[in-house]
Amino acid sequence: MIRATAGLLLAWGLAGCAVPEWQKPGTPLADIERAMGRPTLTQALPGGGQRLLYSRQPAGQQVYHMDFDAGQRLVRVAQVLTLERFQALRHGVDRTEDVRRMFGPPALVEKVARFNGDIWTYRILDNGNPRQAHVHIDPSGVVRLVMFTDERLDAPDPHH
């Protein structure tokens, strides 16, 4: 049992060694995938390039875009779960696909009585503070509202 647990911890630790921000421009796509593993999403970019999206949701607070040129070489890495990017969503214009393309799948999808539609919740860091971005998407798939709340990680369990 101890040996199996140690093996799992070692595998988990080695998988975590590949950090998106440490990848160098010019690195071939195949090397990135070998180091980072399978991306959460893959999308075509203009000019024959490709974007790999790596999400740390639902437990983490980062989503990375790793952009490659037509020659499959890394051009840039960006962490996109930022307050500014959520604030840039266009209410009444952007759609479910736009949100998924930018941020990947949410940490949580929920409903509330006062909104007819889904609320996609993403865990983010805002100047080092844990927060949540709540994207309200109506039944036709259109973004209607984006709200932010603080995430209380040290909140006492109300059941104890």
Side-chain angles (χ1 to χ4, degrees), residues 21-41:
E21 301 100 310
W22 296 352
Q23 305 304 312
K24 297 192 181 340
T27 303
L29 184 138
D31 290 355
I32 296 290
E33 284 187 313
R34 199 168 16 264
M36 297 290 305
R38 187 172 164 202
T40 307
L41 295 172

Side-chain angles (χ1 to χ4, degrees), residues 30-105:
D31 290 355
I32 296 290
E33 284 187 313
R34 199 168 16 264
M36 297 290 305
R38 187 172 164 202
T40 307
L41 295 172
T42 303
Q43 32 190 301
L45 294 175
Q50 186 175 9
R51 172 172 290 153
L52 303 184
L53 183 146
Y54 286 93
S55 176
R56 292 193 175 150
Q57 298 282 298
Q61 298 155 317
Q62 299 86 17
V63 169
Y64 295 94
H65 287 184
M66 300 185 81
D67 293 349
F68 296 83
D69 61 19
Q72 297 192 332
R73 299 270 179 196
L74 183 63
V75 177
R76 78 185 59 80
V77 176
Q79 197 290 111
V80 298
L81 286 187
T82 65
L83 197 67
E84 295 77 21
R85 288 194 191 236
F86 281 102
Q87 289 171 333
L89 286 172
R90 300 165 298 166
H91 301 185
V93 176
D94 285 326
R95 303 189 55 77
T96 305
E97 310 83 56
D98 302 314
V99 177
R100 185 180 306 281
R101 191 172 26 259
M102 175 58 70
F103 305 113

Side-chain angles (χ1 to χ4, degrees), residues 68-147:
F68 296 83
D69 61 19
Q72 297 192 332
R73 299 270 179 196
L74 183 63
V75 177
R76 78 185 59 80
V77 176
Q79 197 290 111
V80 298
L81 286 187
T82 65
L83 197 67
E84 295 77 21
R85 288 194 191 236
F86 281 102
Q87 289 171 333
L89 286 172
R90 300 165 298 166
H91 301 185
V93 176
D94 285 326
R95 303 189 55 77
T96 305
E97 310 83 56
D98 302 314
V99 177
R100 185 180 306 281
R101 191 172 26 259
M102 175 58 70
F103 305 113
L108 178 66
V109 177
E110 52 196 341
K111 293 187 180 293
V112 295
R114 294 183 180 202
F115 178 72
N116 181 22
D118 290 335
I119 301 173
W120 287 19
T121 299
Y122 293 87
R123 300 182 68 236
I124 67 172
L125 283 176
D126 177 28
N127 291 320
N129 298 311
R131 303 205 62 207
Q132 294 178 333
H134 309 280
V135 182
H136 294 65
I137 302 172
D138 72 18
S140 67
V142 176
V143 173
R144 293 295 169 189
L145 179 67
V146 178
M147 296 176 59

